[in-house]
Amino acid sequence: MLLAAVSLVPGCGRTVDGVPTAAAPSDRPTTPAELEQLLVAVVPSGLPRLPDDEVEPPAGAKRLEDVAGYAPDPARERAVLASYGYRFGWERFWGRESGPMTGLFVDQFQQRSGARAYAEDLARNDAELYGGTLSEDPPELPGNCRLLTVDAPVPQAGLTDPAAFAWCWHGVFSVSVTAVAETADDAVREVGAVLDTQLALLPPA
């Protein structure tokens, strides 16, 4: 089922670790609602947008407490996210009841180092969960990105189709895109196209 796959993305891919250094704030959205206005509205695959309340946990606006709640130890996760300077985020999904899906996660931090550390930790953790091939700054993606390709299903982790996962940092933003498709190549193309559009919509790094 699609929603089972969707629920994996935030639930298993957002546990973070480490301590970033502080940096001066820059011009950026000041509320989740302002951040939402900067998100991709449609995806190249043409998949329909899923209503936020049809995803479990619900998509849409995210506070520090929401993201921490995905982790096995929410209290520890809150402390880690606070040390990163996590401010807020937004999640959005496209797909149907089964088959291909695309997920987008944009999170904003007080400092660039926090966004980078968060993206790098998510990449490492999902690579451990799903296996596959993890690449740093691959040619298929913009700079400052990590790409994980999974060519075959990983039933024990709830992944029933080939997939691609990408994590990037862009100034004070961490941007993650996930695509589940018929082939890993299709998923990589979807991820790359969504990232190109999303990064262009955000304030300059």
Side-chain angles (χ1 to χ4, degrees):
M1 293 295 292
L2 171 67
L3 295 191
V6 169
S7 67
L8 286 173
V9 180
C12 296
R14 282 180 170 254
T15 301
V16 295
D17 206 354
V19 179
T21 56
S26 59
D27 191 20
R28 66 192 75 162
T30 59
T31 66
E34 290 180 5
L35 178 61
E36 181 192 12
Q37 300 307 309
L38 302 178
L39 263 63
V40 166
V42 297
V43 292
S45 60
L47 291 170
R49 168 89 179 278
L50 278 170
D52 292 341
D53 59 4
E54 289 187 10
V55 181
E56 179 57 40
K62 296 295 166 180
R63 304 166 301 159
L64 185 151
E65 292 78 10
D66 299 320
V67 178
Y70 297 150
D73 186 346
R76 180 183 181 279
E77 193 73 0
R78 281 196 298 272
V80 172
L81 290 168
S83 75
Y84 280 5
Y86 187 92
R87 297 192 66 200
F88 46 76
W90 201 279
E91 298 175 2
R92 182 166 285 175
F93 293 92
W94 296 261
R96 298 182 177 88
E97 290 184 358
S98 61
M101 59 79 62
T102 300
L104 171 66
F105 312 84
V106 180
D107 296 285
Q108 185 171 319
F109 295 77
Q110 294 177 3
Q111 60 274 333
R112 297 181 180 187
S113 56
R116 175 172 182 167
Y118 184 73
E120 290 180 338
D121 281 346
L122 294 183
R124 182 187 66 249
N125 292 342
D126 272 5
E128 293 175 356
L129 176 65
Y130 297 113
T133 302
L134 181 64
S135 305
E136 297 185 8
D137 293 319
E140 302 94 330
L141 300 185
N144 298 332
C145 291
R146 302 288 185 267
L147 173 66
L148 176 67
T149 55
V150 183
D151 294 319
V154 187
Q156 65 272 25
L159 189 62
T160 59
D161 294 284
F165 304 79
W167 306 266
C168 307
W169 58 94
H170 176 89
V172 296
F173 300 95
S174 169
V175 179
S176 176
V177 179
T178 296
V180 178
E182 292 186 2
T183 70
D185 287 343
D186 290 340
V188 169
R189 282 190 288 270
E190 175 85 345
V191 162
V194 174
L195 278 173
D196 283 340
T197 303
Q198 182 58 67
L199 294 177
L201 292 171
L202 294 173

